[in-house]
Amino acid sequence: MCGRFTLHTLPDVLQDHFGVDGLPSELAPSYNIAPSQDIAAVRMLGERRRLDMLRWGLVPAWAKDVKIGYRMINARAETVADKPAWRTAFRLRRCLIPADGFYEWRRTADGKQPYHIRMKDGGVFGLAGIWERREAADGVLESCSIIVTAANDTIRPVHDRMPVIIAPGDYGAWLDPGLRDPGALQHYLRAWSAGEMEVYPVSSRVNRPVNNDAHCIEALEVAG
């Protein structure tokens, strides 16, 4: 699962890293991004990459009720090419979701302990995403999901799943609408190198989306 993440990277760094010309005015630094919120997504539209705001929680074009998006924030790498809700978007509408960290929760005797996970250098990265456009009488909705896979060795003690991270050198291929072969696309759906990532406990205040500031990613000392 990937149910919360962060994006507070400086705008000029975002533009340079993902090769986009501008950023939406509504994009703001966030330390606690939650499902159903509008999130940044990089897409190939025409000949250029664009960064747009999409609803987190994919709503298929055929969906009668947009509430289905609450159950579709993540797509499993093992089944994204086959399940009806995901397969067309996987072939035709892939995106990169910028992030500089994400959260997972580990079960303990006292409940669930949240952890912040990021690159050791603190840099931004692109999560593998898919997006969809739904047109209905109540308006147009563009939404997305994050693809998840089995966790690497760094994350596994906390959780058995992690979001797929696309290498910068593969951004072009991942966003290429001409690449439609599911077998070839599976090449990109791998866990990121464990040695390049770090995990540390944080305060349970991240459990509430209303708490959205730099205190969410402060390291917490855990006894034992």
Side-chain angles (χ1 to χ4, degrees):
M1 288 290 291
C2 178
R4 300 284 176 83
F5 67 98
T6 66
L7 182 63
H8 47 83
T9 298
L10 293 174
D12 58 336
V13 176
L14 270 180
Q15 289 182 235
D16 182 64
H17 183 85
F18 290 101
V20 295
D21 293 331
L23 301 177
S25 59
E26 61 267 39
L27 179 64
S30 182
Y31 296 85
N32 197 0
I33 301 171
S36 80
Q37 295 178 0
D38 288 345
I39 65 175
V42 177
R43 304 182 287 179
M44 199 73 185
L45 297 178
E47 298 296 319
R48 305 183 70 83
R49 293 183 190 177
R50 282 182 41 177
L51 191 151
D52 298 306
M53 304 300 288
L54 308 181
R55 177 83 57 85
W56 185 14
L58 188 140
V59 178
W62 43 260
K64 295 182 179 180
D65 190 341
V66 298
K67 291 181 181 179
I68 191 175
Y70 290 107
R71 307 194 304 272
M72 300 182 67
I73 63 170
N74 293 154
R76 295 176 70 91
E78 299 88 343
T79 57
V80 67
D82 302 317
K83 288 200 171 182
W86 315 117
R87 62 190 179 196
T88 301
F90 181 59
R91 290 181 60 247
L92 305 179
R93 289 179 290 277
R94 296 179 301 278
C95 61
L96 292 164
I97 297 173
D100 40 38
F102 55 95
Y103 300 98
E104 288 296 357
W105 282 256
R106 181 171 67 87
R107 294 185 182 275
T108 70
D110 299 320
K112 289 186 177 181
Q113 171 61 52
Y115 286 78
H116 187 235
I117 303 163
R118 64 183 182 184
M119 298 296 180
K120 287 182 177 178
D121 65 5
V124 68
F125 46 90
L127 304 179
I130 53 177
W131 66 277
E132 188 61 89
R133 178 182 174 90
R134 174 184 179 269
E135 299 184 21
D138 54 354
V140 175
L141 174 65
E142 292 189 320
S143 57
C144 61
S145 294
I146 295 171
I147 301 176
V148 297
T149 189
N152 62 30
D153 290 344
T154 295
I155 298 172
R156 193 173 299 113
V158 174
H159 199 277
D160 63 355
R161 307 293 292 180
M162 67 175 288
V164 172
I165 298 171
I166 303 295
D170 292 330
Y171 286 174
W174 179 254
L175 294 174
D176 182 3
L179 179 58
R180 301 183 177 186
D181 177 54
L185 290 167
Q186 283 292 330
H187 166 76
Y188 302 103
L189 304 185
R190 300 171 293 183
W192 193 258
S193 172
E196 297 181 20
M197 306 188 77
E198 63 180 7
V199 178
Y200 60 87
V202 294
S203 167
S204 60
R205 69 192 308 275
V206 75
N207 293 348
R208 300 184 64 212
V210 68
N211 297 324
N212 187 359
D213 54 45
H215 294 299
C216 290
I217 62 171
E218 291 179 350
L220 178 71
E221 291 189 13
V222 178

